[in-house]
Amino acid sequence: MVTVKGRKSSSKNPPIFSHEFVIQNHADIISCVAMVFVIGLMVQVTSPWAYMFIAIHYNVTNTTEDPTAVIKYTTGWKDACAVFFYFLITIIMHAVLQEYIFDKISKRLHLSKVKLSKFNESSQLIVFYLSSVIWAIDIIIRENILLNIWTLWEDYPAPMTASLKLFFIGQLAYWLHCYPELYFQRVKKEDILQRVLHATIGLIYTLAAYLFNFQQFAVILLTLHYLGDALLHSARLVHFISQKEKRTKLSFLVANSVYAFARVATLAFTFVVFLYGLRNQEYKFDYATGNFNIPTVQFLAVTIISLFQGYLLYFFIAKQIKRARENATPVVVKTKPKQKLRKRDAGKKSALSEDDDLPEVDQATKKNLRNRPSAKAK
């Protein structure tokens, strides 16, 4: 088992089972818990129990009739066990990336506490977003979702491939792991609400798409959403690392353009699928087969997605306007006192330079004449 050192704030070893001990060694503790499930596969008595947490379930493909058929899966309560196991793996991966990559990079940058917190947050999110985008694009290409986009409503509810189901299990595990990370990473109180809201929205949207069998549709939306957010966080890192203003402006220009396009494309794609595709299909509500194509579900899906995308656009535009006003406001600098001091210093220097041109005897005579009180003062 690979041990992961925790983030230590002091050279002294904290008491066992104290808060500091758990924070420093949480990756090792969770690694031991995950190893229990792996070792359970090797024992015949516990292998069915451990298999329920590690493997994916609910295979609906009949391989006896067609051995070459692609295995497809549906949803069920056992998926919660798999989410829990990969939730543990996600916490371990988070600690490994933080300890061996991001902490070493941040030490070289010498960032302030505020920038260091943003740097760690953006770094972790970039890894998650980019890995999810690459995985999602691979699924879209393999299953020809974009080329056969009409299958999103004609074949609804369609069973999932193993890669697609594992993708959603990983998504749910990641959003769940964000809650204990608030404790493990010692997040400040003023940042907790924003991070909890971010994780909760991601968890609810992903879980809703998974339970209502809109997985293929959600993969495309998540790809657009994650790509825009990944570029924004990458631009933030460029702002922290790069000292060139042109490079920072270019990165934010690209990120802002892709982010705005992703919001508009998400709305357009949602309207096409729900208001055109699924509406033309037969309305049916069947919990056993996972068919939830009814007007209520369609209306709620369109409304929730539209409100969320509208909120993101409003917040994004308001932030851009605020930055533009801050950059357009001229900075007033009072230079009059400095100019007066400079004139006085220049007068003194000019007088001294004139005295330097005279012989030493004449310089002493001139200094004595300057120091004498004037007749008017008498």
Side-chain angles (χ1 to χ4, degrees):
M1 182 180 67
V2 180
T3 58
V4 182
K5 296 181 180 179
R7 302 178 68 183
K8 298 183 179 180
S9 59
S10 62
S11 58
K12 296 181 180 179
N13 294 324
I16 297 177
F17 300 121
S18 63
H19 290 287
E20 191 66 26
F21 177 84
V22 173
I23 292 173
Q24 290 184 11
N25 302 281
H26 72 274
D28 291 336
I29 296 171
I30 295 173
S31 297
C32 295
V33 176
M35 286 298 296
V36 172
F37 297 98
V38 177
I39 295 173
L41 289 174
M42 305 176 186
V43 183
Q44 187 175 2
V45 177
T46 59
S47 59
W49 174 75
Y51 182 81
M52 184 173 60
F53 284 85
I54 296 176
I56 55 178
H57 304 279
Y58 302 103
N59 179 11
V60 294
T61 304
N62 189 358
T63 55
T64 56
E65 297 179 357
D66 187 7
T68 60
V70 179
I71 299 176
K72 297 294 184 68
Y73 299 86
T74 57
T75 60
W77 68 269
K78 290 183 180 180
D79 295 338
C81 300
V83 170
F84 175 75
F85 176 77
Y86 290 102
F87 158 80
L88 300 177
I89 301 300
T90 306
I91 294 177
I92 298 170
M93 293 302 300
H94 187 118
V96 170
L97 291 173
Q98 189 66 46
E99 178 70 21
Y100 294 101
I101 298 178
F102 302 136
D103 283 349
K104 293 183 178 180
I105 295 175
S106 61
K107 287 179 181 178
R108 296 182 179 181
L109 297 177
H110 304 288
L111 301 174
S112 61
K113 290 184 178 180
V114 177
K115 288 186 176 181
L116 180 61
S117 176
K118 293 181 179 180
F119 174 84
N120 292 330
E121 180 188 7
S122 296
S123 300
Q124 293 286 351
L125 287 174
I126 286 172
V127 173
F128 169 68
Y129 287 150
L130 290 181
S131 59
S132 298
V133 167
I134 294 172
W135 195 353
I137 291 175
D138 178 70
I139 293 172
I140 292 171
I141 294 174
R142 287 179 181 272
E143 299 186 15
N144 293 325
I145 296 177
L146 286 180
L147 297 179
N148 301 319
I149 197 169
W150 55 86
T151 58
L152 293 177
W153 52 83
E154 289 182 355
D155 295 342
Y156 175 82
M160 297 173 285
T161 60
S163 180
L164 181 60
K165 181 161 186 172
L166 193 59
F167 173 82
F168 273 91
I169 290 175
Q171 296 295 308
L172 295 172
Y174 179 85
W175 294 121
L176 282 175
H177 110 286
C178 293
Y179 297 106
E181 284 298 335
L182 298 174
Y183 173 71
F184 295 145
Q185 298 297 322
R186 299 187 183 93
V187 178
K188 295 181 180 179
K189 291 182 179 180
E190 55 269 20
D191 297 334
I192 289 178
L193 181 60
Q194 180 183 359
R195 295 199 182 187
V196 168
L197 183 63
H198 183 218
T200 304
I201 292 175
L203 179 63
I204 291 175
Y205 270 76
T206 307
L207 184 62
Y210 186 71
L211 294 178
F212 287 93
N213 291 319
F214 295 115
Q215 295 91 351
Q216 289 84 357
F217 166 75
V219 163
I220 298 176
L221 292 193
L222 289 176
T223 303
L224 293 171
H225 180 76
Y226 289 165
L227 183 61
D229 282 8
L231 290 176
L232 276 182
H233 285 282
S234 300
R236 180 194 281 186
L237 291 187
V238 171
H239 174 65
F240 291 155
I241 297 173
S242 179
Q243 297 180 353
K244 296 182 179 180
E245 188 176 357
K246 291 183 178 180
R247 189 176 299 175
T248 302
K249 288 183 177 180
L250 179 61
S251 60
F252 273 107
L253 178 62
V254 175
N256 293 337
S257 302
V258 175
Y259 186 86
F261 171 77
R263 306 282 77 79
V264 176
T266 298
L267 289 173
F269 189 68
T270 301
F271 294 152
V272 168
V273 172
F274 284 98
L275 300 183
Y276 171 75
L278 290 173
R279 179 164 289 186
N280 294 328
Q281 302 298 314
E282 179 185 0
Y283 289 152
K284 187 177 181 181
F285 181 84
D286 188 359
Y287 181 79
T289 59
N291 193 331
F292 302 98
N293 187 25
I294 55 177
T296 303
V297 174
Q298 295 175 5
F299 176 76
L300 286 176
V302 173
T303 302
I304 293 173
I305 293 175
S306 300
L307 289 176
F308 181 58
Q309 297 301 319
Y311 167 76
L312 292 178
L313 276 174
Y314 171 78
F315 183 76
F316 172 75
I317 294 172
K319 196 173 183 180
Q320 297 303 317
I321 293 174
K322 183 180 178 181
R323 285 182 179 177
R325 289 178 179 176
E326 290 177 354
N327 295 331
T329 303
V331 180
V332 180
V333 181
K334 296 181 179 180
T335 57
K336 291 182 179 180
K338 293 182 179 180
Q339 289 178 356
K340 290 181 179 179
L341 290 174
R342 288 176 182 175
K343 288 180 180 180
R344 292 177 183 176
D345 294 339
K348 290 181 180 179
K349 289 180 180 179
S350 62
L352 291 173
S353 62
E354 291 177 359
D355 293 346
D356 292 339
D357 296 336
L358 299 175
E360 293 182 1
V361 178
D362 295 336
Q363 288 181 16
T365 305
K366 200 167 185 179
K367 286 181 182 179
N368 292 330
L369 291 173
R370 285 177 182 170
N371 294 329
R372 287 182 184 178
S374 61
K376 292 182 180 180
K378 292 179 182 179

